[in-house]
Amino acid sequence: MTQSQVASDENGAMMRSESVGFRRNKRQGMAMSVVERYMRHDIPCALSTCTQCAQNQELRQRGVPLLDAQAARIVVPDASAVSRYIELLETSELNNLVFCQTVLDALDRRNRTRTIRNVRKITADPRRSSVVFANEVFAETQPSGGSAGRLPGESAAERDLRAVLRTANWYARHVYGSNASPSTPPRVLILTVKDSHAEMYTAGQRESGVDVLRLDDFVAQLCPQLQEHFNEIKGATEGADMDITDKSPLEYAQARIKAKSENGYPDYWALCDVEDGLRTGKLIQGKIRIVRAGPAGTKRQPQGIIERAGGLPSVVISGRLALNRVCPGDTVVVRILTDSEASGDPAEAEAAIGDDVEGEVGSDAEDEEDIAVDQIDAGEEAAATNEEPGHVRGAVVYVAERKWRPFVATLQVDEGGSKHLAVPVDASVPKIRIHYMDTAAIADRYFVVAVDGWAADSQYPHGHFVRALGKIGDLDAKIDTILVERQIAVSQAALVFSEASLREMPVDSAADPWTLCPGEIEKRRDLRDTLVFSIDPQGSQDIDDAISMRTTGGGGFELGVHIADVTQFIVPGMATDTEAQARGTTVYLADRRFNMIPEILSERICSLRGNEDRFAVSVVWTLDKGYNVESVWFGRTVIRSACEMYYEQAQDLLDGKTGVAGIDPTKEDVFRQSIVDLAKAMRVLRERRRQNGALELASTEVKFEFHKQTKAVAEVRPKKSLEIHRVIEEAMVFANAAVARRIHQHIPSAALLRRHRSPTKDRFERLIKAAGSKGFSVDCSSNAALAESLRKVAQAANQSDPDLLFLAKSMATLAMQEADYFATGDCGDPAEFVHYGLALDYYTHFTSPIRRYADIV
């Protein structure tokens, strides 16, 4: 039963609609449900050139992506197009999309949260010029009618189609009537999948600027380069129940209830029960990581771990039944098991969801494969076993947030039928059941698969094929696999810089070489007379940092760290800034790299090359003879590096060698003195951090040797550790810490810092047991205590067992939490700013802006 009423404020600027309903509830009996919506007249169109909508100016100032008024069309996809072909809409070729709130509401009613997240990602990307339009609360686009805006005899689906058409009509009128519209305004195009929908749109009252196209016609006529991709998605989703318009919300709910199986996974708890449990402390919420537990060479059970703050023991969830359909990274709600429940064997519970589950394929086929994975994946993180103290056992009762990303997989072909299992290359991800007819086309290929859901009666999640990457074993296919799995890019081709970005680059050619702007030089501190040099790996092209070190009166020193001023060429709002932000870092692989910013900046104009004038941002300290800071200066500078030094050259100078190859003989002595003074200072600073609890953990860099003809990797060797590596590292840490303190002083509520939280005690249990077996005790109560314990191990290991120290440091490294960025306004207590591993109160990233976006910020 429903009742509706409408009210407005005194001046009619905003209207409120109220829908009252009554329904029977098992927990509370008859309950009243009231839904209020406030109709607004001020929703902006989000068109880039429109001045008619006052709120557009605010959107521009906030940097919110806007629709491109110069584009040929504004595309309005309906629910059928978005729900089934979201992967196609995610391609960079499709821009200027308007997603109606009506469509997102329909997706939400079918629990399509992943699709909604993908829509949000599209609209958050400035390169896509796409928006979500709140048509349901805009007075000029809200569907007219009775309850919920429906006309007499109109179904919910028909009402939603009318809402999409009404939005398209409004855009057509608005674009053509805008006082800032171009001479040829973009046409508004409604995209749909079904003939019946196209007929309803065409038969409706359309404005002259509105077109209607089926998605297959749209691709064929306007985006032929997407035809193959469209065909792949169409074939993969055929019969896969992807189109939400095939069923009403009621039919969808009934189908889910009907599909329940007595032998499936446990149902998730009701949200009200979850909220009660979290409020009373009976339930625990956290992000889960999946590992494998059990002896190598056997079928090891999946195991989930949720770490808790405040020294509380981690929660271990053992077996598929207790994990209850989670994937790595999901935010889950867990019930702590009683002692009797926890004493059960998780393997026995697996029978409840094994071969008895209907409609599954390949349920027995994973034993040998799991064993093979265990044998070859020597670097896989070991899980805490049930017998280890300091843990509690739990079971998942609810998934608060899914982290389903695109997964790269190979095909496990099953005889007959069109349903098969996709086997993710990430062993912590469960196999995914897909519907695909032409298995021969992908049987020997890596491909991308998307997860659509995981029913309680299904042993595996179900998903669909997205696109093929390349043949298994092919190098480029492996590279694409890495990029997709690490969520770096959809392919190598996607990492080519856009034309818009390249047009923003300064000119630097043989005929017109780039030079410093005299006007900009006048605004900066000129340090070109100061001896500055860089020390990097041999062959480096993207030189971020340089050093200066000289003596001052009274036995003191002036130390300078000079960082490439990338922000002179990249400012917020530029296409280059948008692309750098999306990439986040430069990606280094054995035989190639993918730059964060275009090469003209990263390798030439910004790179602090030898004997070239460059813009920099510098931190200059005045130190006394005890290396205590007397003063520090921060600012923009102009520098001229006297030498691009390799680590090996710098080490030779530090060791007192003469005639070092590649070093100007006339400057060798002055370089040597600067490096020796720098090393002395950094030894003192490093020792101070060590005494405060700084950790020196295992970190082995490797060097790749390549075949001259095939360019394949021929050999992998660990790089030799040199003292100069630690000297430069300490100088960069010193600069990052100084900048962190500086920005927190000046913008205490908005400084971007980096912290490293202290690990929980239970993470050290494997280290404590291993060290104990060798007669050592490990105190992990603080970073200083842990550092002292490792120092004692190091003293003994140097005499008796050199490998023991490496093992201890490696296990301590595995016990660490991941460092993370945070805004100081989100963390009021400075005690939470601390970097555990470096033993610093303040830390940020500043010294690598060419290859790391956080340093640009």
Side-chain angles (χ1 to χ4, degrees), residues 571-607:
V571 297
M574 291 175 59
T576 306
D577 178 63
T578 300
E579 294 198 27
Q581 197 175 138
R583 294 167 189 241
T585 64
T586 293
V587 177
Y588 295 90
L589 299 177
D591 64 338
R592 70 195 75 187
R593 74 169 184 263
F594 301 101
N595 290 321
M596 184 184 75
I597 58 177
E599 290 183 7
I600 191 173
L601 295 183
S602 63
E603 299 182 10
R604 289 154 59 186
I605 294 176
C606 288
S607 184

Side-chain angles (χ1 to χ4, degrees), residues 45 58 165 182 247 277 293 371 431 436 471 546 599 819 833 840 857:
C45 66
E58 179 185 347
L165 178 59
K247 293 186 180 77
I371 294 172
K431 296 178 182 180
Y436 201 79
K471 285 191 174 183
E599 290 183 7
F833 297 0
L840 293 170
V857 176

Side-chain angles (χ1 to χ4, degrees), residues 561 563 619 621 634 728-743 752-754 838 840 842-849 852 855:
V561 171
I563 306 301
V619 185
W621 296 267
F634 303 85
I728 298 302
E729 174 188 309
E730 192 63 32
M732 297 304 112
V733 168
F734 196 44
N736 285 333
V739 170
R741 190 176 293 274
R742 171 80 168 189
I743 61 177
L752 178 65
L753 302 185
R754 187 165 175 83
L838 296 176
L840 293 170
Y842 295 88
Y843 195 69
T844 192
H845 278 160
F846 158 73
T847 54
S848 299
R852 193 168 53 201
D855 302 58

Side-chain angles (χ1 to χ4, degrees), residues 265 292 299 302 320 325-328 360-371 373 404 407-414 420-434 447 449-454 458-464:
Y265 290 96
R292 298 256 179 178
K299 182 183 177 182
R320 290 184 176 84
R325 296 169 283 159
V326 301
C327 287
E360 295 302 330
V361 291
S363 54
D364 289 329
E366 60 181 309
D367 291 34
E368 294 182 2
E369 182 179 338
D370 284 348
I371 294 172
V373 169
W404 288 336
F407 298 108
V408 178
T410 56
L411 191 67
Q412 178 178 307
V413 181
D414 298 281
H420 308 277
L421 287 178
V423 184
V425 296
D426 182 348
S428 67
V429 179
K431 296 178 182 180
I432 302 164
R433 185 157 48 89
I434 63 172
F447 58 89
V449 61
V451 177
D452 301 317
W454 196 341
S458 174
Q459 182 177 356
Y460 303 110
H462 67 273
H464 63 276

Side-chain angles (χ1 to χ4, degrees), residues 549-553 555-558 673 677:
M549 185 71 173
R550 63 183 182 180
T551 58
T552 59
F557 299 90
E558 182 187 86
Q673 187 61 53
D677 290 341

